[in-house]
Amino acid sequence: MAKEKQVFYCKECGYESAKWLGQCPGCREWNTFVEEKITVGAKTSSAKKTLVAPTSILKVTTADESRIKTDIGELDRVLGGGIVKGSLVLVGGDPGIGKSTILLQMCKKLVDKDVEVLYVSGEESLSQIKMRAGRIGKFDKDMMLLCDNDMDNISSAIQKSNAEVVIIDSIQTMLVDEVGSAPGTVTQVREVTSRLMQLAKQNNVAVFIVGHVTKEGTVAGPRTLEHMVDSVLYFEGDANNGFRILRGVKNRFGSTNEIGVFNMTDAGLIEVENPSSVMLNGRPIGVPGSVVVSSIEGTRTILIELQALVCKTNFNMPRRTSVGVDFNRVNLIMAVLEKRAGLNLWGYDAYVSIAGGMRVNDPAIDLGIAAAINSSLNNKPVGDKTMIIGEIGLTGEIRGVTNIMQRVKEADKLGFDTCIIPKSNYDEKMEKLNIKVKCVASLVEALGII
């Protein structure tokens, strides 16, 4: 007879406990335990398990190494060159950010290349999927649709079909009957993902699963979900901003530093092949607090406008706000400006933002942040054709950054006439470019020539 068992799971790492705990012993996070009621022994199988013997690595062949190209360049870049057969890919992001749209566009490109695709939805009806597909263009070739959330039916459909790519939208709506809990719970999400992983490996089918995110920005369900899949792609961007950033945070078959840039339109997502020119489009000219910095995302160099606003505070404690930049990094740079450069920032509020909705963690933008704050404080604009590169140390020194030639060439290509770089990064090859390179060794020296 089936018995009901009550357990508690950690949402972050999947740690299981018989009672609720304030702090998870596994990941040390607070208030992450949720209650789950599971049915033990609801359904048992009398079939004997098949024993699998180990195989020598020398006998394993990799005959099928080709990837399936999606013909969406930005998506192929993030995936590492295309879809790997037998892989399990998780696509996460905020509601309405474009997860289902990019996957539907991918399906259209694939069926045009005669790739068999199965689209499984647990949230929409067949007519709703067809209506949404009509906004991104007419499907000239056939694609199979399935509206169901029962994993037994879905598994049977995948095995009976000749699909090479399967879309599951979304993982939180799928249900396994043997697990006595509601769809979307920790137990269900983990069990469904495990079955999809087995289907992908056994049938050599690439499976894409859509995952909703929590208010903290992580995929709903246990963190073990991200560990189980082969690749994790996150859609970033503001719903009020047309730009979308597709970032790979995990990829067993490629780099995790690559990003794809898209623009959301009425006809779906459009690739942005030259993000630098798009990000700098509409940049104010001759306005204090606006500078251009360079960030490396994988193999791509992106020039970004960084803005700062410094004004007198009306409070005992001045406000510090950052958007798209690490808040602690901004506080550190402001401390160095006060101590090493002599700027009086205690009585001023400071706001730092990356224009375009991007988030940048590259330390090469440190000098740009300092220059923008100094420009806004002194109401002195930075040159419109000047790009600033450099990492700031706690003693006020300007440290070298990686891929300096790639950054300088990108600025030269976009018509900038001056580039301020760390002295340790100077290369004689820069003299052959049409851009003037100024080298600085300290923060005081840099602020003196900007």
Side-chain angles (χ1 to χ4, degrees):
M1 182 177 177
K3 295 182 179 180
E4 195 174 74
K5 178 183 177 182
Q6 180 180 352
V7 296
F8 292 87
Y9 284 105
C10 173
K11 295 185 296 183
E12 295 296 324
C13 66
Y15 185 90
E16 181 179 340
S17 174
K19 61 181 180 179
W20 186 87
L21 299 174
Q23 186 183 35
C24 174
C27 61
R28 315 301 296 177
E29 293 291 333
W30 290 91
N31 299 323
T32 58
F33 273 86
V34 293
E35 180 183 359
E36 290 289 340
K37 292 182 179 180
I38 60 175
T39 303
V40 181
K43 185 177 180 181
T44 59
S45 176
S46 59
K48 295 182 179 180
K49 294 183 179 180
T50 303
L51 298 178
V52 180
T55 303
S56 171
I57 192 173
L58 300 177
K59 297 180 180 179
V60 177
T61 59
T62 56
D64 190 8
E65 296 180 348
S66 61
R67 295 175 182 251
I68 303 174
K69 296 288 185 179
T70 65
D71 289 346
I72 302 178
E74 298 296 300
L75 179 58
D76 285 336
R77 180 198 302 272
V78 178
L79 289 172
I83 302 172
V84 177
K85 294 181 179 180
S87 62
L88 184 61
V89 182
L90 172 64
V91 181
D94 295 328
I97 201 70
K99 304 183 297 295
S100 300
T101 301
I102 187 64
L103 292 177
L104 202 54
Q105 289 183 218
M106 180 189 74
C107 292
K108 185 178 184 302
K109 295 283 188 180
L110 291 175
V111 296
D112 288 342
K113 299 173 60 177
D114 297 325
V115 177
E116 293 288 337
V117 177
L118 174 61
Y119 193 102
V120 182
S121 177
E123 302 175 341
E124 298 175 294
S125 65
L126 294 175
S127 59
Q128 289 173 335
I129 300 175
K130 181 66 178 294
M131 186 185 306
R132 186 158 53 86
R135 294 200 300 265
I136 64 173
K138 182 181 178 181
F139 275 69
D140 297 322
K141 296 187 178 181
D142 194 18
M143 179 181 75
M144 301 305 295
L145 302 178
L146 176 63
C147 292
D148 201 339
N149 67 343
D150 188 276
M151 274 306 300
D152 291 333
N153 297 336
I154 295 171
S155 300
S156 177
I158 294 175
Q159 291 173 345
K160 291 179 180 179
S161 68
N162 295 321
E164 299 177 61
V165 177
V166 176
I167 311 296
I168 306 294
D169 188 6
S170 67
I171 188 68
Q172 279 80 17
T173 61
M174 298 298 124
L175 176 69
V176 177
D177 287 336
E178 288 84 350
V179 179
S181 57
T185 57
V186 174
T187 310
Q188 284 285 3
V189 169
R190 187 160 53 184
E191 181 65 24
V192 170
T193 305
S194 178
R195 293 202 179 189
L196 288 173
M197 180 175 61
Q198 292 177 4
L199 284 170
K201 306 305 179 185
Q202 292 174 0
N203 299 280
N204 201 28
V205 176
V207 179
F208 286 77
I209 56 178
V210 177
H212 298 308
V213 298
T214 62
K215 61 182 180 180
E216 290 84 12
T218 58
V219 176
R223 294 289 293 185
T224 50
L225 174 62
E226 298 185 13
H227 300 310
M228 294 169 69
V229 300
D230 296 311
S231 303
V232 180
L233 310 182
Y234 271 111
F235 248 123
E236 302 173 358
D238 187 356
N240 300 320
N241 194 322
F243 293 110
R244 302 286 189 269
I245 308 298
L246 181 64
R247 188 184 302 274
V249 297
K250 175 186 177 181
N251 193 351
R252 289 175 179 161
F253 313 111
S255 172
T256 56
N257 297 320
E258 296 288 357
I259 66 167
V261 185
F262 298 88
N263 186 22
M264 178 64 82
T265 65
D266 295 337
L269 291 164
I270 299 177
E271 299 178 67
V272 178
E273 297 181 356
N274 191 352
S276 296
S277 60
V278 175
M279 293 294 177
L280 298 179
N281 188 26
R283 182 169 63 98
I285 304 300
V287 177
S290 175
V291 301
V292 177
V293 295
S294 172
S295 175
I296 296 290
E297 299 288 350
T299 58
R300 168 181 288 177
T301 303
I302 303 179
L303 302 191
I304 307 167
E305 181 192 2
L306 189 149
Q307 297 179 343
L309 178 62
V310 179
C311 54
K312 288 188 176 180
T313 184
N314 295 320
F315 307 97
N316 294 331
M317 183 75 69
R319 295 188 61 184
R320 304 284 188 258
T321 304
S322 65
V323 178
V325 188
D326 182 43
F327 175 76
N328 295 323
R329 193 71 182 174
V330 173
N331 283 335
L332 185 148
I333 293 171
M334 293 185 67
V336 176
L337 283 170
E338 287 189 327
K339 181 70 174 181
R340 306 300 178 186
L343 270 65
N344 182 17
L345 297 171
W346 171 248
Y348 294 86
D349 294 333
Y351 309 89
V352 178
S353 174
I354 297 290
M358 285 194 64
R359 180 164 187 83
V360 181
N361 295 318
D362 193 343
I365 69 171
D366 286 358
L367 187 54
I369 295 174
I373 293 174
N374 179 70
S375 171
S376 180
L377 177 66
N378 297 316
N379 202 31
K380 181 181 176 182
V382 178
D384 300 328
K385 296 295 183 180
T386 300
M387 187 185 72
I388 303 173
I389 306 171
E391 179 184 355
I392 298 177
L394 293 180
T395 60
E397 82 278 12
I398 306 301
R399 307 180 69 88
V401 299
T402 59
N403 300 311
I404 188 64
M405 281 299 297
Q406 188 176 340
R407 300 174 193 263
V408 175
K409 286 180 179 179
E410 181 71 12
D412 185 26
K413 185 176 69 174
L414 292 179
F416 284 79
D417 55 22
T418 305
C419 184
I420 298 175
I421 67 170
K423 190 172 183 180
S424 59
N425 277 138
Y426 176 75
D427 192 332
E428 293 181 355
K429 297 179 181 178
M430 297 177 182
E431 300 295 337
K432 300 179 181 179
L433 302 176
N434 296 323
I435 188 171
K436 183 179 180 181
V437 177
K438 296 182 179 180
C439 301
V440 293
S442 66
L443 180 59
V444 175
E445 181 183 356
L447 297 181
I449 65 175
I450 294 176

